[in-house]
Each structure stands twice: as structure tokens, then as C-alpha cells.
């Protein structure tokens, strides 16, 4: 893969002062990815750095008519914001509903088509940048110190390579952990590192481990040999907490369940108001989710399990009822369930009674709250705030230009060296040779003995 290196943030270092102001070029991804990226970029600006964001004209996260703190470089692409939104909604609908309605084969074909479609668009965006000499010249002459890219769609790394700039990825996960393993060289034995979207935790039974291994393998084949052909082995993944509406039937079910709770319920929901909505339930287009989770009277959080919501719930130690829909959501909820702070429901099979019981369980069975509090305490116990840590590493790369010394040594090993297969093969050969020689020697001795005895008998 043509990626120089990937920096992930696992180390704990003390914060060492500020950097001289630098110039940062950003290759973001839309939807929930942008929400997280934006927080870091604002902090960089507060610390005196210049931030240039390179976005396609179809990017929904930025309103181009409004003034922005960032320098926004818009790439004109032949599809609109509405097209981008529609494709995302198709993706969500497919993963959340069709997965259970279509046959496995049809679903696989549909997802393959949709992924191809998304990658094609990202290829167009990539070409629009890399084939525009005027734009490239302009970016080159800006002398950026660093490129920050979202790993969800390929191309940011190509831009960094083109200008020979140091480069940082921001990512939650990539399909089959492909980017983490193959670009970052992060050790991830399938025996205890579950492939994202496989739905496993780090404690796996024999069959789950087998499933996990096949999942890694199939993702490698799918992405390397099919989907990324056009990108010459670059890589992608898509997600977003974009679920605006459920089907009417599901929303009626959820509304009915919520109406049976003695508590007051605040529901972020954009679809048609369900007939079964109870007097205790209020619908809002948008809610200040983090603030509500931090409210002392909040008892439980019913969520589809997006990464941000999970972290907010952990931060405020609120137990969860998880109804995962797509992407990493089943994994996220699975992990929270394994840690004892969530009850998981299946959106396709759950009844109103299940939902009521799940909410009552996480509220009244004290173990869920206790676990949430314990996990929250662990989460809060960090030497520096995560935002400061992210900014520290960004400035670290700007100061030192290259951080190859942080690269995992596994990066330079072949797959058989990584698994020590050459050593094992050598040792097995030695043992086999030894056994063979021993057996041959014994056979030879026996034969000698016998023939000696035969001779003496004859005499
Ligand atoms: C190339 O980039 C420049 C500068 O951003 C822009 O004005 C121009 O329209 C672009 N050309 C094409 C063909 O996209
Ligand atoms: C509370 O939940 C835990 C974990 O699911 C379970 O083991 C325990 O029996 C429950 N306690 C009660 C009183 O239901
Ligand atoms: C506004 C909106 O996105 N409505 C959608 C809600 O979900 C149904 C079923 O998937 C769609 O048909 C609507 O278009």
C-alpha cells in the first residue's frame, strides 16, 4: 500500500509546550466523521495554526455560504449535496433493513454495488484534485507542514504523498481493520482482536475465533482484489450517525413501548409522528445529546450505538439500551453489553414488551449503573484530555517532520515472519530430521543385529 505511515495514539506522554504556528491541510469525510474532526481543527486554530480544508462541493458538513474559521478549498464535483445525502441514506437503509429482508446473495450484490458507487465518487473527487495542475500548484506553494486525513475514503494519503508531507490519519475503524493492520502494522492477532463489524468482542469461543479469522480473510480479499482495484490498493469504509427515521411500523412500536414507561422520555426523531406516541414522550429534530446525558436525572439512554453516543454515555456513566443498526454499531453495543452496562435488542425481532423490559432492567437492576460508573471512572482517569492528546500528536509531527521511530516493527516483516512461521518451519524440520535419522539408525542397528544373529545361527 502506498501509505507512508499511520500514527495512532496509544502512547502516554507528558505535554511539552506549544509549537510555532504551522499550516495544516485537511482531507475530511462528511457526516459524523466531520463532527469529530472539526473539534480538533478548532483547537488547532485556537492554538494559532492555519487550517485549510479540502472538500468536494457535495460536502454537507460545511455551509459554503457562511464565513468559516477554516480556509475552505472547494473542489467542484459533478454531484450535489443532495446526491451525497441520498447515497448515504441508501447505504443506511440497506444496512439497517435490507440486510434482514433480502437473501444473503442479493444483499451482498447490493452492498457491493453501493460500495462501488461510493468508491467511484471518491475516485472522481480524487481525480479532480490530482489532475488539476492549478490547484496542485496552489497547494504546493502554500507549503503545508502536515496533512490530516480521514481514513474512511482513500485519497488524503495520496495528497500527502504528492507533496511529500508528513501525514496523520483520524479513524475509528476500517473494514476488517485493514488500514490498521496493513498500513499501520498494528499487531492484531485474530485470536483476540475482533475485526470491526464482525460483531465479536475480545473474548471469543473457538467458533467465533474461526469466524473472526475468516472475516479478516474475506475482507482482505474483497477490498484488495475487488473494491480497491481502481485505487491501486487504497482503502475505505463508510459510516455516519445518520438515522433520521425508522419505518412507520418500528417507530409505532418504539413509541408504544416508551409510552408505557413511568419516566419522561426525550426522543430525537425526524420522521412522521407515530400515532402510538405517549403523553410522556417528546419528539425533537435535534437534542443536545451530551448535555442531556450529563443531566443528573437522566436514567438510561436508548441508542443505535454510534461511537460518539457510546463515549458520551460512558463519560456520564449512563447505562444503555442498544438497538444497533449498521456499521460499527453492533460491535459498539456488543462491547458495552460484554462490559455489563448495556442491554442489546434486535430491531427486527424486538417487541414493545422487550423494549420496556430492557429499559426497566438497566434502570432498576443496579449492576448496570454500577458498571457504567466504574467504566466512567476508568475513562476519566487520564493524564491529559483526549483533545489535548490529539493536538499534542499533531504538533509533535509538525515539530519533528517524521515519526518513523514510532512505527511498529511489524511493519517491516513479511506475513510469515510476523507469525514466526519461518522459525516454526525450521524447528519442525530439525525435529523431523532428528526423528528420521533416529529411526533410520535404529532400523540399521536392528538389521545389523538380526543379520549377525542369523550368521551365528548358521555357523
Ligand atoms: C482547478 O483548480 C482551480 C483552483 O482551485 C479552479 O479555479 C479550477 O476551476 C479547477 N479546474 C478544474 C478543471 O476543475
Ligand atoms: C441484574 O443483572 C445481572 C446481569 O445481567 C444479572 O446477573 C442479575 O441476576 C440481575 N439481578 C437481578 C436482581 O435481576
Ligand atoms: C425523510 C425520510 O428519510 N424518509 C424515509 C423514512 O424511511 C422510509 C422507509 O425506509 C423511506 O421510504 C422514507 O423516504
Amino acid at each position: 500500500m502506498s501509505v507512508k505511515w499511520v500514527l495512532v495514539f496509544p502512547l502516554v506522554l507528558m505535554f511539552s509546550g506549544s509549537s510555532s504556528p504551522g499550516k495544516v491541510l485537511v482531507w475530511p469525510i462528511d457526516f459524523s466523521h466531520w463532527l469529530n474532526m472539526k473539534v480538533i481543527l478548532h483547537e488547532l486554530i485556537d492554538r494559532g495554526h492555519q487550517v485549510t480544508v479540502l472538500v468536494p462541493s457535495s460536502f454537507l458538513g460545511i455551509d459554503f455560504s457562511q464565513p468559516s474559521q477554516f480556509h475552505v478549498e472547494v473542489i467542484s464535483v459533478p454531484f450535489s449535496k443532495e446526491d451525497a445525502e441520498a447515497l448515504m441514506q441508501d447505504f443506511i437503509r440497506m444496512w439497517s433493513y435490507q440486510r434482514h429482508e433480502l437473501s444473503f446473495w442479493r444483499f451482498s450484490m447490493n452492498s457491493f454495488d453501493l460500495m462501488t458507487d461510493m468508491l467511484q465518487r471518491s475516485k472522481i473527487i480524487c481525480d479532480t484534485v490530482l489532475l488539476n495542475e492549478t490547484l496542485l500548484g496552489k497547494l504546493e506553494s502554500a507549503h503545508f507542514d502536515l496533512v490530516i486525513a480521514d481514513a474512511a475514503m482513500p485519497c488524503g494519503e495520496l495528497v500527502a504523498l504528492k507533496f511529500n508531507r508528513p501525514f496523520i490519519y483520524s479513524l475509528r475503524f476500517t473494514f476488517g481493520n485493514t488500514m490498521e493492520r496493513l498500513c499501520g502494522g498494528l499487531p492484531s492477532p485474530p485470536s483476540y482482536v475482533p475485526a470491526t463489524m464482525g460483531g465479536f468482542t475480545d473474548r471469543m469461543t473457538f467458533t467465533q475465533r474461526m469466524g473472526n479469522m475468516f472475516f479478516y480473510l474475506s475482507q482482505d480479499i474483497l477490498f484488495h482484489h475487488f473494491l480497491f482495484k481502481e485505487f491501486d490498493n487504497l482503502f475505505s469504509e463508510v459510516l455516519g450517525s445518520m438515522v433520521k427515521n425508522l419505518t412507520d411500523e418500528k417507530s409505532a412500536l418504539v413509541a408504544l413501548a416508551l409510552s408505557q414507561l413511568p419516566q419522561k422520555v426525550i426522543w430525537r426523531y425526524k420522521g412522521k409522528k407515530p400515532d402510538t406516541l405517549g403523553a410522556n414522550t417528546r419528539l425533537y429534530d435535534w437534542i443536545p445529546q451530551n448535555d442531556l446525558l450529563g443531566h443528573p436525572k437522566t436514567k438510561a439512554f436508548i441508542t443505535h450505538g454510534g461511537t460518539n453516543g457510546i463515549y458520551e454515555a460512558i463519560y456520564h456513566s449512563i447505562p444503555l439500551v442498544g438497538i444497533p443498526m449498521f456499521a460499527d454499531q453492533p460491535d459498539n453495543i456488543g462491547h458495552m453489553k460484554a462490559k455489563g452496562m448495556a442491554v442489546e435488542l434486535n430491531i427486527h425481532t424486538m417487541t414493545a414488551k422487550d423494549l420496556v423490559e430492557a429499559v426497566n432492567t438497566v434502570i432498576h437492576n443496579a449492576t448496570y449503573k454500577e458498571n457504567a460508573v466504574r467504566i466512567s471512572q476508568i475513562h476519566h482517569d487520564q493524564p491529559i484530555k483526549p483533545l489535548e492528546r490529539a493536538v499534542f500528536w499533531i504538533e509533535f509531527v509538525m515539530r519533528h517532520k517524521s515519526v518513523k521511530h514510532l512505527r511498529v516493527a511489524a511493519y517491516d516483516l513479511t506475513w510469515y515472519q510476523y507469525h514466526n512461521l519461518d522459525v516454526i518451519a525450521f524447528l519442525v524440520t530439525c525435529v523431523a530430521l532428528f526423528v528420521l535419522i533416529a529411526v533410520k539408525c535404529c532400523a540399521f542397528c536392528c538389521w545389523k543385529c538380526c543379520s549377525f544373529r542369523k550368521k551365528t545361527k548358521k555357523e
Side-chain angles (χ1 to χ4, degrees), residues 73 128 132 134-135 138:
E73 190 71 52
T128 313
N132 184 336
T134 325
L135 180 60
K138 192 169 154 192

Side-chain angles (χ1 to χ4, degrees), residues 391-446:
V391 170
F392 165 81
W393 282 109
I394 290 168
E395 293 185 337
F396 181 93
V397 176
M398 282 200 257
R399 281 194 294 272
H400 301 289
K401 310 294 183 238
S402 160
V403 285
K404 287 203 173 129
H405 65 284
L406 288 180
R407 196 151 81 180
V408 181
Y411 187 89
D412 300 314
L413 298 179
T414 60
W415 61 272
Y416 58 86
Q417 286 171 329
Y418 174 82
H419 293 288
N420 256 336
L421 294 183
D422 47 353
V423 173
I424 293 171
F426 176 76
L427 292 179
V428 168
T429 314
C430 287
V431 171
L433 270 180
F434 178 79
V435 170
L436 190 72
I437 290 171
V439 168
K440 284 281 179 209
C441 281
C442 282
F444 182 72
C445 290
C446 290

Side-chain angles (χ1 to χ4, degrees), residues 323-449:
I323 313 176
M325 315 267 290
F326 67 98
D328 58 337
Q329 295 162 8
D331 289 17
N332 295 341
I333 296 297
H335 295 161
M336 292 299 99
K337 189 177 148 196
K339 301 273 180 213
M341 84 173 250
V343 169
E344 181 174 0
L345 293 175
N346 180 337
I347 185 151
H348 304 284
T349 54
M350 72 177 189
T351 60
K353 185 160 160 276
D354 293 336
L355 183 53
V356 174
E357 278 175 4
V359 174
N360 283 333
T361 304
V362 299
I363 292 177
H364 298 299
N365 181 333
T367 53
Y368 292 91
K369 183 69 180 178
E370 282 160 16
N371 287 328
V373 169
R374 187 175 46 80
I375 293 166
S376 183
Q377 281 166 351
I378 293 170
H379 180 70
H380 280 267
D381 201 353
Q382 309 191 32
I384 56 174
K385 289 199 181 115
L387 178 59
E388 284 180 10
R389 191 159 71 233
V391 170
F392 165 81
W393 282 109
I394 290 168
E395 293 185 337
F396 181 93
V397 176
M398 282 200 257
R399 281 194 294 272
H400 301 289
K401 310 294 183 238
S402 160
V403 285
K404 287 203 173 129
H405 65 284
L406 288 180
R407 196 151 81 180
V408 181
Y411 187 89
D412 300 314
L413 298 179
T414 60
W415 61 272
Y416 58 86
Q417 286 171 329
Y418 174 82
H419 293 288
N420 256 336
L421 294 183
D422 47 353
V423 173
I424 293 171
F426 176 76
L427 292 179
V428 168
T429 314
C430 287
V431 171
L433 270 180
F434 178 79
V435 170
L436 190 72
I437 290 171
V439 168
K440 284 281 179 209
C441 281
C442 282
F444 182 72
C445 290
C446 290
W447 177 73
K448 271 282 179 205
C449 254

